[in-house]
Amino acid sequence: MQNREHFNPKRLKEARLVRGLTIKEFSEEIDVTRQAISQFEMGESSPKQETMMKIIKVLNFPKNFFYKDFEEQYVGNTFFRANATATKKSKESQYNKTLMAAYIYNYLSDLIEFPELNLPDITKFVGDWSDNTIEELATYVRHFWGLGNSPITNVIHELEKNGIVVFTVDTHSKKVDAFAQHRKGKPFIFVGNEKDSGFRRQFDAAHELGHILMHKDIDNQDLLSREEYKAMEEQANKFASAFLLPEGTFKKTVTSTTLLHFIELKKYWHVSMAAMIYRSYEIGIIDESRYTSLQKQISMKKYRKREPLDEVFPVSKPTVLKRSIELLLDNEVTTGLDLIHDISLPQDLIEMLCGLEEETLNKNKYEAEIRLMKGK
């Protein structure tokens, strides 16, 4: 329950970190000392009214957020793909966005019936993540989900259909493009809005699925050694590769090993050239010499950052959360303004995390005002 007389220090720290501000930066923005911010966040003192108004303005969070007691969250490890290079500040910001995502999901799940989690029992695989075992796991998941050995045109859709909650997130970083999080009940996957290649998003999503399946027992990846972290990432990459490009079927389609042929195969497999070339090397379609030659050609043609057809194939986007909110608005279960108030989060965060167009929640507000003016 919300108590307007009780300031919640947890909410202040969450909001500050979501906005990517250090204590020093934040203290300068609202013109108080760093010590004062620390005291607010530790619950040793509460902001005065004048300071509270500055906090609301700088962080752009609704006032009731800072007085809210949300249900406590069980959060397992957050699998950041760019663990070695992403800054602590960036990872803290993304992590706290996941807390906001859960506030949204918990609110919506009281109103909307989401797909049930449908992951296979993989007990027989656990404990041995050798290359062969990961290949078998990828095949097992494909058949469990009824995908056979055909190309997967939209991995995001398959994740959502099988009960994994997928959010979009502005990471403001090229070093954090997607991440997964184990949670009580349902795992979350976050795909970065900075990703401008639909083919690479396919791989990112499959990679995060690999983490969800294989690495549930990892509580904190920051405690892993560099070698352990590298092995974990290689396992997730191996899973993504095997899941997207099943060995037997993929081999039959590789009738040439020229770059031009791999460009053509992109249209069929919906996977990047880089991933297909590595998969070809991995399963023995090409030898090391040919692999090296293709890598040199890719560099020479400047395909590292952007490959042919990347601008043609659309970037797949999550739809379940977006449609859920649109359903509530269209059926007048709530208004955009009421939804913002009830969730107690900023409009920009709700729209960003749920993949809504900017001002979607305002449009509903404007439509309600027009109906009111017309006496409807």
Side-chain angles (χ1 to χ4, degrees), residues 2 4 7 11 49 52-53 56 60-68 344:
Q2 180 178 334
R4 291 186 178 276
F7 174 76
R11 303 289 90 88
Q49 183 66 24
M52 194 70 236
M53 296 310 295
I56 292 167
N60 191 27
F61 268 70
K63 183 178 180 180
N64 62 339
F65 175 80
F66 299 100
Y67 298 85
K68 187 106 172 182
S344 303

Side-chain angles (χ1 to χ4, degrees), residues 126-144:
V126 175
D128 171 29
W129 297 128
S130 64
D131 288 355
N132 287 339
T133 302
I134 294 173
E135 290 279 347
E136 291 174 14
L137 175 64
T139 300
Y140 185 64
V141 176
R142 269 182 160 267
H143 286 280
F144 183 80

Side-chain angles (χ1 to χ4, degrees), residues 6-208:
H6 179 64
F7 174 76
N8 192 327
K10 290 181 182 179
R11 303 289 90 88
L12 177 61
K13 186 173 183 179
E14 288 172 359
R16 173 177 65 79
L17 291 173
V18 162
R19 297 308 189 192
L21 294 172
T22 63
I23 288 179
K24 180 178 183 295
E25 291 167 342
F26 186 41
S27 68
E28 291 171 352
E29 288 280 351
I30 65 170
D31 195 26
V32 300
T33 65
R34 282 179 281 179
Q35 183 182 18
I37 299 297
S38 295
Q39 289 173 341
F40 296 158
E41 293 187 356
M42 290 189 292
E44 294 175 355
S45 65
S46 298
K48 294 179 180 178
Q49 183 66 24
E50 181 183 351
T51 304
M52 194 70 236
M53 296 310 295
K54 290 180 181 178
I55 288 172
I56 292 167
K57 182 178 180 181
V58 168
L59 297 179
N60 191 27
F61 268 70
K63 183 178 180 180
N64 62 339
F65 175 80
F66 299 100
Y67 298 85
K68 187 106 172 182
D69 285 321
F70 291 100
E71 182 181 343
E72 287 297 317
Q73 303 181 36
Y74 165 76
V75 183
N77 183 61
T78 304
F79 294 93
F80 288 110
R81 287 193 65 188
N83 187 63
T85 55
T87 64
K88 179 184 177 183
K89 182 178 179 181
S90 175
K91 287 193 289 180
E92 282 184 333
S93 177
Q94 308 321 317
Y95 174 79
N96 280 274
K97 287 173 188 173
T98 73
L99 302 181
M100 307 298 114
Y103 300 151
I104 296 169
Y105 177 76
N106 290 342
Y107 169 82
L108 292 176
S109 61
D110 286 339
L111 302 171
I112 300 287
E113 187 173 343
F114 290 110
E116 289 188 13
L117 185 62
N118 182 40
L119 294 179
D121 180 357
I122 62 168
T123 306
K124 65 180 180 180
F125 298 104
V126 175
D128 171 29
W129 297 128
S130 64
D131 288 355
N132 287 339
T133 302
I134 294 173
E135 290 279 347
E136 291 174 14
L137 175 64
T139 300
Y140 185 64
V141 176
R142 269 182 160 267
H143 286 280
F144 183 80
W145 282 356
L147 300 172
N149 292 312
S150 302
I152 304 172
T153 58
N154 190 332
V155 176
I156 299 287
H157 173 70
E158 298 302 329
L159 296 174
E160 291 192 301
K161 186 170 72 173
N162 288 286
I164 295 172
V165 188
V166 187
F167 296 87
T168 55
V169 62
D170 293 338
T171 65
H172 305 294
S173 171
K174 293 294 184 182
K175 295 180 178 180
V176 180
D177 49 16
F179 49 97
Q181 195 176 66
H182 284 301
R183 285 181 162 270
K184 183 180 179 180
K186 287 193 175 187
F188 287 178
I189 285 179
F190 296 81
V191 289
N193 286 326
E194 286 76 13
K195 182 68 70 175
D196 58 0
S197 166
F199 298 96
R200 289 188 173 129
R201 173 164 283 187
Q202 290 271 94
F203 194 90
D204 287 347
H207 175 104
E208 301 309 330

Side-chain angles (χ1 to χ4, degrees), residues 198-238:
F199 298 96
R200 289 188 173 129
R201 173 164 283 187
Q202 290 271 94
F203 194 90
D204 287 347
H207 175 104
E208 301 309 330
L209 174 60
H211 280 314
I212 287 168
L213 292 167
M214 295 186 290
H215 302 133
K216 191 173 183 178
D217 293 334
I218 294 175
D219 294 322
N220 185 352
Q221 70 182 48
D222 290 334
L223 300 180
L224 299 178
S225 68
R226 183 175 296 181
E227 292 73 23
E228 289 170 330
Y229 173 78
K230 183 178 179 182
M232 180 186 74
E233 284 297 287
E234 286 177 350
Q235 289 163 3
N237 282 335
K238 174 75 178 179

